[in-house]
Amino acid sequence: MYDVIIIGGGVVGSSIARELSKYDIKVLLIEKEDDVASGGASKANSAILHAGYDPVPGTLKAKLNVRGNEMFDELCKDLDVPMKRVGSLVAAFSQDEVESLYKLYDRGLKNGVKNISIISADMVKEIEPNINDTIVAALYAKTAGIICPYGFVIALAENAAQNGVEFVFNQEVISIDKEDDVFTVKTQDKEYFGKYIVNAAGLYADVINNMVNDKRFSIHPRKGEYLILDKEEGYLANTVIFQVPTKMGKGILVSPTVDGNLLIGPTSEDIYNKEFRKTTYKGLEKAIKGAKKSVEKFNERKTITQFTGVRAVPDVDGEDFIIGESDVKGFINVAGIESPGFTSSPAIAEMVGEILKDAGLNMVEKDNFNPKRKPVIRFNELTDEERNELIKKNPAYGKIICRCETVTEGEIIDAIRRPVGAKSIDGVKRRVRAGMGRCQGGFCSPRVLEILSRELNADPLNVTKFGGRSNVLTAKAKEYLINSYKELLKSGV
């Protein structure tokens, strides 16, 4: 019996898990994929901390965006997550677009955003010397930032687990029933019992809600395609460069990443299939063309990878977040968390804690809550002296597995052994960046597979790229050839 069962292991579910780990209650998080930040928008997004000038004043988006933004400095320090307050520009390339800047500026003031101003073309050029010469003016927000999104989710989950939250993976919820104030959550092969349910299932929050509530809603997917360029192109943007937003979103951006690459995108397209993750020639061309409006100088031939993110857009008036206790007592919806959902997530977690208190959950603070995650060793950031000392203590840090990103065997072993540790090649990739460099895993993937097999005591044939049926290997070559030869002999060929 759990006090709270959280459904969904994205940034919202993991933020709520960490928030609830501060209290003397029993909490379980259920995730249908093999890892946190593995299947939804938390894995594939713009990696930005929004300042908060875009949401309509008075909405949950506006309130939670600004509050959430303020929380990230302390959170990232406690959780040892790279984050940079690089600021953002909404760039206007015509006088008509300048009018939109003033509307956003007024919104920002009403929402309580600090350190925003409208600056001239000359001032923009001082901040962004590579922006196109057609720039007229920009809205400058100093509190915007960049972050590793999946790294943040992993850190939240680790710290939540460290403080007593239980996690189960590869468990898809297929039904929820309630009897005598107890919820029964059934997955494909197990049952879990809880007093309260928090629905943080992202794109599938409507499906989870509709299992329980007569008051239904729907979530439709909105696809965005991105490109990541080599670190050689990273110098082209110092801030997050937005274009004037439309009803479909904040437009195509050009942004540095915390790891030194250049990110461009996303496109915005309403689709019907929640699992559609493919990039398209048309979509990527649109992203490139749109980004050239802001910065012409980038070389799209320096693209090292591309990806698609799918946002969970609620079919409600105003497309605001859906957060609150439903008509079924004890069932809390946290749904439709599209942009600026990532930035809002810590504030959403605070809000959910208050909702649970108001709903009757006895929440007594722990005396032994530890807000700090065990620090992560990042070998490529160490001095030569620090590297030598580390290798003396643990020779595994002297073996480079990923040449592109200078990732060592020691870092990969640590990523696997940590709370809520990596269980797949992509799980390692998201934690230590092995496979995220120029060759995209062409060199290091076999070695990562070997280390996973050894550390998890798993047959190499059972090691996956991202869980499920994504096995990398299908057979042992020597055995396969011998068996095939025997079959040919039997057949008389």
Side-chain angles (χ1 to χ4, degrees), residues 58-78:
T59 60
L60 285 175
K61 284 184 177 181
K63 172 186 173 183
L64 297 171
N65 183 166
V66 175
R67 169 61 183 152
N69 180 290
E70 295 169 349
M71 298 172 72
F72 268 88
D73 291 286
E74 183 176 356
L75 274 170
C76 290
K77 182 179 178 182
D78 284 346

Side-chain angles (χ1 to χ4, degrees), residues 174-176 199 203-219 274 326 328 331 333:
I174 57 175
S175 71
I176 303 173
N199 173 19
L203 282 164
Y204 291 92
D206 54 346
V207 176
I208 299 299
N209 172 79
N210 299 345
M211 290 178 182
V212 181
N213 283 290
D214 292 330
K215 188 176 181 181
R216 297 175 170 241
F217 60 79
S218 63
I219 301 289
K274 294 183 180 184
S326 70
V328 176
F331 187 93
N333 274 315

Side-chain angles (χ1 to χ4, degrees), residues 51-57 88-92 97-113 116-118 138-141 242-246 249-251:
Y53 51 75
D54 189 56
V56 176
S88 68
L89 295 169
V90 181
E97 290 185 341
V98 172
E99 292 181 17
S100 297
L101 298 186
Y102 281 96
K103 291 177 183 177
L104 291 173
Y105 175 75
D106 289 340
R107 274 191 187 182
L109 294 179
K110 289 176 182 176
N111 291 344
V113 179
I116 56 171
S117 58
I118 294 177
L139 175 65
Y140 184 30
F242 292 106
Q243 295 167 8
V244 172
T246 69
K250 297 177 179 67

Side-chain angles (χ1 to χ4, degrees), residues 300-472:
E300 58 269 30
R301 289 179 174 272
K302 297 290 185 179
T303 299
I304 60 171
T305 191
Q306 57 275 328
F307 65 92
T308 291
V310 182
R311 289 158 271 177
V313 181
D315 288 327
V316 296
D317 291 340
E319 294 187 352
D320 201 4
F321 298 155
I322 301 170
I323 304 175
E325 188 174 22
S326 70
D327 292 341
V328 176
K329 183 172 174 56
F331 187 93
I332 316 300
N333 274 315
V334 189
I337 311 299
E338 58 168 338
S339 181
F342 189 94
T343 311
S344 304
S345 59
I348 291 172
E350 278 188 338
M351 183 178 177
V352 170
E354 292 301 317
I355 291 169
L356 286 166
K357 285 180 187 177
D358 293 342
L361 179 61
N362 184 24
M363 296 172 68
V364 178
E365 290 189 13
K366 291 176 181 174
D367 295 329
N368 61 344
F369 171 73
N370 180 6
K372 295 187 181 295
R373 176 173 74 141
K374 174 188 170 184
V376 176
I377 293 173
R378 299 180 178 92
F379 190 80
N380 67 345
E381 296 177 5
L382 301 180
T383 65
D384 287 343
E385 288 182 5
E386 291 170 330
R387 290 177 177 182
N388 289 332
E389 285 300 312
L390 182 61
I391 293 167
K392 286 178 184 177
K393 293 177 183 177
N394 187 344
Y397 286 95
K399 299 177 182 177
I400 301 296
I401 303 300
C402 173
R403 294 177 179 177
C404 297
E405 296 293 315
T406 319
V407 179
T408 65
E409 183 173 6
E411 292 168 275
I412 294 171
I413 292 171
D414 181 55
I416 296 168
R417 293 180 180 178
R418 280 176 169 265
V420 198
K423 299 178 287 294
S424 67
I425 289 175
D426 280 2
V428 169
K429 180 179 177 180
R430 286 190 292 273
R431 285 164 174 80
V432 298
R433 290 189 58 78
M436 284 199 178
R438 189 172 289 174
C439 84
Q440 288 292 291
F443 173 79
C444 65
S445 290
R447 290 288 289 116
V448 173
L449 187 150
E450 181 183 333
I451 296 167
L452 279 163
S453 173
R454 184 187 71 217
E455 290 296 315
L456 299 175
N457 194 26
D459 189 317
L461 296 178
N462 293 330
V463 175
T464 65
K465 189 174 188 303
F466 50 79
R469 299 172 67 181
S470 63
N471 301 64
V472 179

